[in-house]
């Protein structure tokens, strides 16, 4: 019940975060998200009955849902294209670090003490976000170019060509009617949401998140100790769980680095193939273990290392792709004027799948047995955007450009014809060169 209570509060927070982001700003959204999380952990730490624990879990889930989209959108809008993927992936690294801390402290301390420690992170995030600037993209969209310049000065440094980037943001805002001269009406908002530049990436990410969640990753995360116990391994269950958290953290960092070097597609394929084979392998082993347990007399399980290996390889392959790629893409693929709103919808879908998977796991293990559930997960087991500006990506999904690939020498005329601004001028795009700093 407790895991699913957290998951049911999360989609609600996701929907609210989109509205807050687009109407009050990315920074204020990130500050607001910490409040329910802080209150939730305090309630759990001071709980004297089950009802208080349930209430705290709902609030922490609500806060977790609110922070998902704003964190990715904020990071994507304050970073330069060549660093965006890796820096956005740091959010996943933070999640993996949090899982490891919870696993470790949970094995040696009480849940009340653990809840008290958990309050530290949202309190620190609340304080640090008060010191951070608003994103220049949002400020330009709200017709505040001077504040955007001040924001960029803090983010890029004094040697950066700030006026050039502000002009690019203003030109793009004018081209896409995202200049914020007036608040979008309900009709304009709906038109923006059903436009191909919004619907296409939303459909892609919804399918991606469904594939990711139904691979069983959150089942392994929430029920790790129970799964290790039932796998038949002779290793200590808490030790295995802590090691699992360490492996997840290490490979999240590796995945963040590979994201910049390899791109999204290869990491996605690695996750899909790896998760599928390992879940089927784990399910087959648990099937034979059940037969051995029902034999008369019971047969001693053999190769008890195999299910442990399957779980660890599953976490490794899942982490380098599924755990990172879709969350990075939330901040990349959506048009500026509804990025916050549709980002909230996307994270809502993602966490709705989390709730469905976590809630149905006990039911599936009752109907299909544990081995059948993992085989089902195995059977469940995109768009390349590395190195592109957010404006280039939005142009692609809007149909203003035909491809995200770099134009070959000699094809500049064709490319220029595809990327004309509303006033007929050609946009200037920053192109990183080897051994040279960006202006």
């Amino acid at each position: 019940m407790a895991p699913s209570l957290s998951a049911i509060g999360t989609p609600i927070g996701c929907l609210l975060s989109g509205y807050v982001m687009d109407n009050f700003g990315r920074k204020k959204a990130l500050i607001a998200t910490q409040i329910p999380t802080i209150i939730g952990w305090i309630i759990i730490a001071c709980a004297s009955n089950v009802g208080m624990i349930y209430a705290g879990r709902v609030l922490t889930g609500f806060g977790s849902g609110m922070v998902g989209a704003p964190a990715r959108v904020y990071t994507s809008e304050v970073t330069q294209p060549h660093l965006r993927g890796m820096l956005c992936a740091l959010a996943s690294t933070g999640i993996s670090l949090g899982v490891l801390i919870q696993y470790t402290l949970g094995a040696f301390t009480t849940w009340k003490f653990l809840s008290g420690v958990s309050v530290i992170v949202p309190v620190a995030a609340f304080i640090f976000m008060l010191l951070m600037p608003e994103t220049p993209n949002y400020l330009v969209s709200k017709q505040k170019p001077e504040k955007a310049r001040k924001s960029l000065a803090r983010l890029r440094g004094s040697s950066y060509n700030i006026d050039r980037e502000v002009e690019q943001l203003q030109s793009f805002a004018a081209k896409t009617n995202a200049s914020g001269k007036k608040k979008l009406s309900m009709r304009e908002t709906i038109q923006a949401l059903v436009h191909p530049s919004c619907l296409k990436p939303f459909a892609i990410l919804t399918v991606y998140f469904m594939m990711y969640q139904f691979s069983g990753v959150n089942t392994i995360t929430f029920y790790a100790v129970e799964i290790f116990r039932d796998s038949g391994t002779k290793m200590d269950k808490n030790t295995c769980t802590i090691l699992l958290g360490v492996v997840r953290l290490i490979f999240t960092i590796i995945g963040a680095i590979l994201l910049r070097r390899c791109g999204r597609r290869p990491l996605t394929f690695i996750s899909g193939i790896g998760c599928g084979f390992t879940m089927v392998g784990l399910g087959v082993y648990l099937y034979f273990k059940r037969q051995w347990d029902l034999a008369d007399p019971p047969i001693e399980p053999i190769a008890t290392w195999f299910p442990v290996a399957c779980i660890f390889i599953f976490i490794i392959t899942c982490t380098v792709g599924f755990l990172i790629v879709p969350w990075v893409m939330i901040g990349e693929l959506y048009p500026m004027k509804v990025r916050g709103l549709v980002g909230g919808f996307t994270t809502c879908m993602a966490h709705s799948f989390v709730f469905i998977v976590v809630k149905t796991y006990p039911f599936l293990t009752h109907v299909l047995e544990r081995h059948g559930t993992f085989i089902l997960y195995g059977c469940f087991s995109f768009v390349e955007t590395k190195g592109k500006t957010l404006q280039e990506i939005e142009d692609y999904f809007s149909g203003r450009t035909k491809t995200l690939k770099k134009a070959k020498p000699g094809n500049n005329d064709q490319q220029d014809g595809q990327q004309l601004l509303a006033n007929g001028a050609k946009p200037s795009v920053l192109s990183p060169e080897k051994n040279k700093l960006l202006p």
Side-chain angles (χ1 to χ4, degrees), residues 28-84:
K28 290 180 181 179
L30 281 170
I31 292 172
T33 61
Q34 309 308 322
I35 297 174
T37 309
I38 293 170
I39 296 173
W41 282 121
I42 291 175
I43 291 175
I44 295 174
C46 301
S48 57
N49 55 63
V50 176
M52 291 181 69
I53 296 175
Y54 286 171
R57 288 292 286 171
V58 171
L59 282 173
T60 54
F62 179 76
S64 298
M66 283 191 71
V67 78
R72 272 79 179 190
V73 170
Y74 184 92
T75 305
S76 69
E77 290 185 352
V78 300
T79 54
Q80 293 175 285
H82 64 292
L83 295 174
R84 187 182 61 238

Coordinates of all heavy atoms in Angstrom, one line a residue, residues 28-84:
K28 N 10.3 29.6 -9.6 CA 9.3 29.6 -8.6 C 8.6 28.2 -8.5 O 8.2 27.7 -7.4 CB 8.2 30.6 -8.9 CG 8.7 32.0 -8.7 CD 7.6 33.1 -9.0 CE 8.2 34.5 -8.8 NZ 7.1 35.5 -9.1
A29 N 8.5 27.5 -9.7 CA 8.0 26.1 -9.6 C 8.9 25.2 -8.8 O 8.4 24.4 -8.0 CB 7.8 25.6 -11.1
L30 N 10.2 25.3 -9.0 CA 11.1 24.5 -8.3 C 11.1 24.8 -6.8 O 11.3 23.9 -6.0 CB 12.5 24.6 -8.9 CG 12.8 23.9 -10.2 CD1 14.1 24.3 -10.8 CD2 12.8 22.4 -9.9
I31 N 10.9 26.0 -6.4 CA 10.8 26.4 -5.0 C 9.6 25.8 -4.4 O 9.6 25.3 -3.3 CB 10.9 27.9 -4.9 CG1 12.3 28.5 -5.3 CG2 10.5 28.3 -3.4 CD1 12.4 30.0 -5.3
A32 N 8.4 26.0 -5.1 CA 7.2 25.5 -4.6 C 7.1 24.0 -4.4 O 6.5 23.5 -3.5 CB 6.0 25.9 -5.5
T33 N 7.9 23.2 -5.3 CA 7.8 21.8 -5.2 C 8.4 21.2 -3.9 O 8.0 20.1 -3.5 CB 8.6 21.2 -6.4 OG1 10.0 21.5 -6.3 CG2 8.0 21.5 -7.7
Q34 N 9.3 22.0 -3.3 CA 9.9 21.5 -2.1 C 9.0 21.5 -0.9 O 9.2 20.7 0.1 CB 11.2 22.3 -1.8 CG 12.2 22.5 -3.0 CD 12.5 21.2 -3.6 OE1 12.7 20.1 -3.0 NE2 12.6 21.2 -5.0
I35 N 8.0 22.4 -0.9 CA 7.2 22.6 0.3 C 6.4 21.3 0.7 O 6.5 20.8 1.8 CB 6.2 23.8 0.1 CG1 7.1 25.0 0.0 CG2 5.3 23.9 1.3 CD1 6.3 26.3 -0.4
P36 N 5.6 20.7 -0.2 CA 4.9 19.4 0.2 C 5.9 18.3 0.5 O 5.6 17.5 1.4 CB 4.1 19.1 -1.1 CG 4.7 19.8 -2.2 CD 5.3 21.0 -1.6
T37 N 7.1 18.3 -0.1 CA 8.0 17.2 0.2 C 8.6 17.4 1.6 O 8.7 16.4 2.4 CB 9.2 17.2 -0.8 OG1 8.7 17.3 -2.1 CG2 10.1 16.0 -0.6
I38 N 8.9 18.6 2.0 CA 9.4 18.8 3.4 C 8.3 18.5 4.4 O 8.6 17.8 5.4 CB 9.8 20.3 3.5 CG1 11.0 20.6 2.6 CG2 10.1 20.7 5.0 CD1 11.3 22.1 2.5
I39 N 7.1 18.9 4.2 CA 6.0 18.6 5.1 C 5.7 17.1 5.2 O 5.5 16.6 6.3 CB 4.7 19.4 4.7 CG1 4.9 20.9 4.7 CG2 3.5 18.9 5.5 CD1 3.7 21.7 4.2
G40 N 5.8 16.4 4.0 CA 5.5 15.0 4.0 C 6.5 14.2 4.8 O 6.2 13.3 5.6
W41 N 7.8 14.5 4.7 CA 8.9 13.8 5.4 C 8.8 14.1 6.9 O 9.0 13.2 7.8 CB 10.2 14.1 4.9 CG 10.6 13.5 3.6 CD1 11.0 14.0 2.5 CD2 10.7 12.0 3.4 NE1 11.2 13.1 1.5 CE2 11.1 11.8 2.1 CE3 10.4 10.9 4.2 CZ2 11.2 10.6 1.5 CZ3 10.6 9.7 3.7 CH2 11.0 9.5 2.3
I42 N 8.4 15.4 7.3 CA 8.3 15.7 8.7 C 7.1 14.9 9.3 O 7.2 14.4 10.4 CB 8.0 17.2 8.9 CG1 9.3 18.0 8.5 CG2 7.6 17.5 10.3 CD1 9.2 19.5 8.5
I43 N 6.0 14.8 8.6 CA 4.8 14.0 9.1 C 5.2 12.6 9.3 O 4.9 12.0 10.3 CB 3.6 14.1 8.1 CG1 3.1 15.6 8.1 CG2 2.5 13.1 8.4 CD1 2.0 15.8 7.1
I44 N 5.9 12.0 8.3 CA 6.3 10.6 8.5 C 7.3 10.4 9.7 O 7.2 9.5 10.4 CB 7.0 10.1 7.2 CG1 6.0 10.1 6.0 CG2 7.6 8.7 7.4 CD1 6.6 9.7 4.7
A45 N 8.2 11.3 9.8 CA 9.2 11.2 10.9 C 8.5 11.4 12.3 O 9.0 10.8 13.3 CB 10.3 12.3 10.8
C46 N 7.4 12.1 12.3 CA 6.7 12.3 13.6 C 5.5 11.4 13.7 O 4.7 11.6 14.7 CB 6.3 13.8 13.7 SG 7.6 14.9 13.7
A47 N 5.3 10.5 12.8 CA 4.1 9.7 12.8 C 3.9 8.9 14.0 O 4.8 8.2 14.5 CB 4.1 8.8 11.5
S48 N 2.6 8.8 14.5 CA 2.3 8.0 15.7 C 1.2 7.0 15.3 O 0.8 6.2 16.1 CB 1.7 8.9 16.8 OG 0.6 9.7 16.4
N49 N 0.8 7.0 14.0 CA -0.2 6.0 13.5 C 0.0 5.8 12.0 O 0.7 6.6 11.4 CB -1.6 6.4 13.9 CG -2.0 7.8 13.4 OD1 -2.0 8.1 12.2 ND2 -2.2 8.8 14.3
V50 N -0.7 4.8 11.5 CA -0.5 4.5 10.1 C -1.1 5.6 9.2 O -0.6 5.8 8.1 CB -1.3 3.1 9.8 CG1 -1.2 2.8 8.3 CG2 -0.6 2.0 10.6
G51 N -2.2 6.2 9.6 CA -2.8 7.3 8.8 C -1.8 8.4 8.6 O -1.8 9.0 7.4
M52 N -1.0 8.8 9.5 CA 0.0 9.8 9.3 C 1.1 9.4 8.3 O 1.6 10.2 7.5 CB 0.7 10.2 10.7 CG -0.2 10.9 11.6 SD 0.6 11.4 13.2 CE 1.7 12.7 12.6
I53 N 1.5 8.1 8.4 CA 2.4 7.6 7.4 C 1.9 7.7 6.0 O 2.5 8.1 5.1 CB 2.8 6.1 7.8 CG1 3.6 6.1 9.1 CG2 3.7 5.6 6.7 CD1 3.9 4.7 9.6
Y54 N 0.6 7.3 5.9 CA 0.0 7.3 4.6 C -0.1 8.8 4.0 O 0.2 9.0 2.9 CB -1.4 6.7 4.6 CG -1.5 5.2 4.7 CD1 -2.7 4.6 5.0 CD2 -0.3 4.5 4.6 CE1 -2.7 3.2 5.1 CE2 -0.3 3.1 4.7 CZ -1.5 2.5 5.0 OH -1.6 1.1 5.1
A55 N -0.5 9.7 4.9 CA -0.6 11.1 4.5 C 0.8 11.6 4.1 O 0.9 12.4 3.1 CB -1.1 12.0 5.7
G56 N 1.8 11.3 4.8 CA 3.2 11.7 4.5 C 3.6 11.1 3.2 O 4.3 11.8 2.4
R57 N 3.3 9.9 2.9 CA 3.7 9.3 1.6 C 3.0 10.0 0.4 O 3.6 10.2 -0.6 CB 3.3 7.8 1.6 CG 4.2 6.9 2.5 CD 5.6 6.8 2.0 NE 5.7 6.0 0.8 CZ 6.8 5.9 0.1 NH1 7.8 6.6 0.4 NH2 6.8 5.1 -1.0
V58 N 1.7 10.3 0.6 CA 1.0 11.0 -0.5 C 1.7 12.4 -0.7 O 1.9 12.8 -1.9 CB -0.5 11.2 -0.1 CG1 -1.2 12.1 -1.1 CG2 -1.2 9.9 -0.1
L59 N 2.0 13.1 0.3 CA 2.6 14.4 0.2 C 4.0 14.3 -0.5 O 4.4 15.1 -1.3 CB 2.7 15.1 1.5 CG 1.4 15.8 2.0 CD1 1.6 16.3 3.4 CD2 1.0 16.9 1.1
T60 N 4.8 13.4 -0.1 CA 6.2 13.2 -0.7 C 6.0 12.8 -2.1 O 6.8 13.2 -3.0 CB 7.0 12.2 0.1 OG1 6.3 10.9 0.2 CG2 7.3 12.7 1.5
G61 N 5.1 12.0 -2.4 CA 4.8 11.6 -3.8 C 4.4 12.8 -4.6 O 4.8 13.0 -5.8
F62 N 3.5 13.6 -4.0 CA 3.0 14.8 -4.7 C 4.2 15.8 -5.0 O 4.3 16.3 -6.1 CB 2.0 15.5 -3.8 CG 1.4 16.8 -4.3 CD1 0.5 16.8 -5.3 CD2 1.9 18.0 -3.9 CE1 0.0 18.0 -5.9 CE2 1.4 19.2 -4.3 CZ 0.4 19.2 -5.4
G63 N 5.1 15.9 -4.0 CA 6.2 16.8 -4.2 C 7.2 16.2 -5.3 O 7.8 17.0 -6.1
S64 N 7.4 14.9 -5.3 CA 8.3 14.3 -6.2 C 7.7 14.4 -7.7 O 8.5 14.6 -8.6 CB 8.4 12.8 -5.9 OG 9.0 12.6 -4.7
G65 N 6.4 14.4 -7.8 CA 5.8 14.6 -9.1 C 5.9 16.1 -9.6 O 6.2 16.3 -10.7
M66 N 5.8 17.0 -8.7 CA 6.0 18.4 -9.0 C 7.4 18.8 -9.5 O 7.6 19.6 -10.4 CB 5.6 19.3 -7.8 CG 4.1 19.4 -7.6 SD 3.8 20.7 -6.4 CE 4.1 22.2 -7.3
V67 N 8.4 18.1 -8.9 CA 9.8 18.5 -9.2 C 10.3 17.9 -10.5 O 11.2 18.5 -11.1 CB 10.7 18.1 -8.0 CG1 11.0 16.6 -8.1 CG2 12.0 18.9 -8.1
G68 N 9.7 16.9 -11.0 CA 10.2 16.2 -12.2 C 10.4 17.0 -13.4 O 11.5 17.2 -13.9
A69 N 9.3 17.6 -13.9 CA 9.4 18.4 -15.2 C 10.1 19.7 -15.0 O 11.0 20.1 -15.8 CB 8.0 18.6 -15.7
P70 N 9.9 20.5 -13.9 CA 10.6 21.8 -13.7 C 12.1 21.6 -13.6 O 12.9 22.4 -14.2 CB 10.1 22.3 -12.4 CG 8.7 21.7 -12.2 CD 8.8 20.3 -12.9
A71 N 12.6 20.5 -13.0 CA 14.0 20.3 -12.9 C 14.7 20.1 -14.2 O 15.7 20.6 -14.5 CB 14.3 19.1 -12.0
R72 N 14.0 19.3 -15.1 CA 14.6 19.0 -16.4 C 14.5 20.2 -17.3 O 15.4 20.5 -18.1 CB 13.9 17.8 -17.1 CG 14.5 16.5 -16.7 CD 14.0 16.0 -15.4 NE 14.6 14.7 -15.0 CZ 14.2 14.0 -14.0 NH1 13.3 14.4 -13.2 NH2 14.8 12.8 -13.7
V73 N 13.3 20.9 -17.3 CA 13.2 22.1 -18.1 C 14.1 23.2 -17.7 O 14.8 23.8 -18.6 CB 11.7 22.6 -18.1 CG1 11.5 23.9 -18.8 CG2 10.8 21.5 -18.7
Y74 N 14.3 23.4 -16.4 CA 15.2 24.4 -15.9 C 16.6 24.1 -16.4 O 17.3 25.0 -16.9 CB 15.1 24.5 -14.4 CG 16.0 25.6 -13.8 CD1 15.5 26.9 -13.6 CD2 17.3 25.4 -13.5 CE1 16.2 27.9 -13.1 CE2 18.1 26.4 -13.0 CZ 17.6 27.7 -12.8 OH 18.4 28.7 -12.3
T75 N 17.0 22.9 -16.2 CA 18.4 22.5 -16.6 C 18.6 22.7 -18.1 O 19.6 23.2 -18.6 CB 18.7 21.1 -16.2 OG1 18.4 20.9 -14.8 CG2 20.1 20.7 -16.5
S76 N 17.6 22.3 -18.9 CA 17.8 22.3 -20.4 C 17.8 23.8 -20.9 O 18.5 24.1 -21.9 CB 16.6 21.6 -21.0 OG 15.4 22.2 -20.9
E77 N 17.1 24.7 -20.2 CA 17.1 26.1 -20.6 C 18.2 26.9 -20.2 O 18.4 28.0 -20.7 CB 15.7 26.7 -20.2 CG 14.5 26.1 -20.9 CD 13.2 26.8 -20.6 OE1 13.2 27.6 -19.7 OE2 12.2 26.5 -21.3
V78 N 19.0 26.5 -19.1 CA 20.1 27.3 -18.7 C 21.4 26.8 -19.2 O 22.5 27.4 -19.0 CB 20.1 27.4 -17.1 CG1 18.9 28.0 -16.6 CG2 20.4 26.0 -16.5
T79 N 21.4 25.6 -19.9 CA 22.7 25.0 -20.3 C 22.8 25.2 -21.8 O 21.9 25.4 -22.5 CB 22.8 23.5 -20.0 OG1 21.6 22.9 -20.5 CG2 22.8 23.3 -18.5
Q80 N 24.1 25.1 -22.3 CA 24.3 25.1 -23.7 C 24.1 23.7 -24.3 O 24.2 22.7 -23.6 CB 25.8 25.6 -24.0 CG 26.0 27.1 -23.6 CD 27.4 27.5 -23.7 OE1 28.3 27.1 -22.9 NE2 27.7 28.2 -24.7
P81 N 23.8 23.6 -25.6 CA 23.5 22.4 -26.3 C 24.5 21.2 -26.0 O 24.0 20.1 -25.8 CB 23.4 22.7 -27.8 CG 23.0 24.2 -27.8 CD 23.7 24.8 -26.6
H82 N 25.8 21.5 -26.1 CA 26.7 20.4 -26.0 C 26.9 19.9 -24.6 O 27.5 18.8 -24.4 CB 28.1 20.9 -26.6 CG 28.7 22.0 -25.8 ND1 28.2 23.3 -25.7 CD2 29.8 22.0 -25.0 CE1 29.0 24.0 -24.9 NE2 30.0 23.3 -24.4
L83 N 26.3 20.6 -23.6 CA 26.4 20.1 -22.2 C 25.0 19.7 -21.7 O 25.0 19.1 -20.6 CB 27.0 21.2 -21.3 CG 28.4 21.6 -21.6 CD1 28.8 22.8 -20.7 CD2 29.4 20.4 -21.3
R84 N 24.0 20.0 -22.5 CA 22.6 19.8 -21.9 C 22.3 18.4 -21.5 O 21.8 18.1 -20.4 CB 21.6 20.3 -22.9 CG 20.2 20.4 -22.4 CD 19.2 20.8 -23.5 NE 19.2 19.9 -24.6 CZ 19.5 20.3 -25.9 NH1 19.8 21.6 -26.1 NH2 19.5 19.4 -26.8

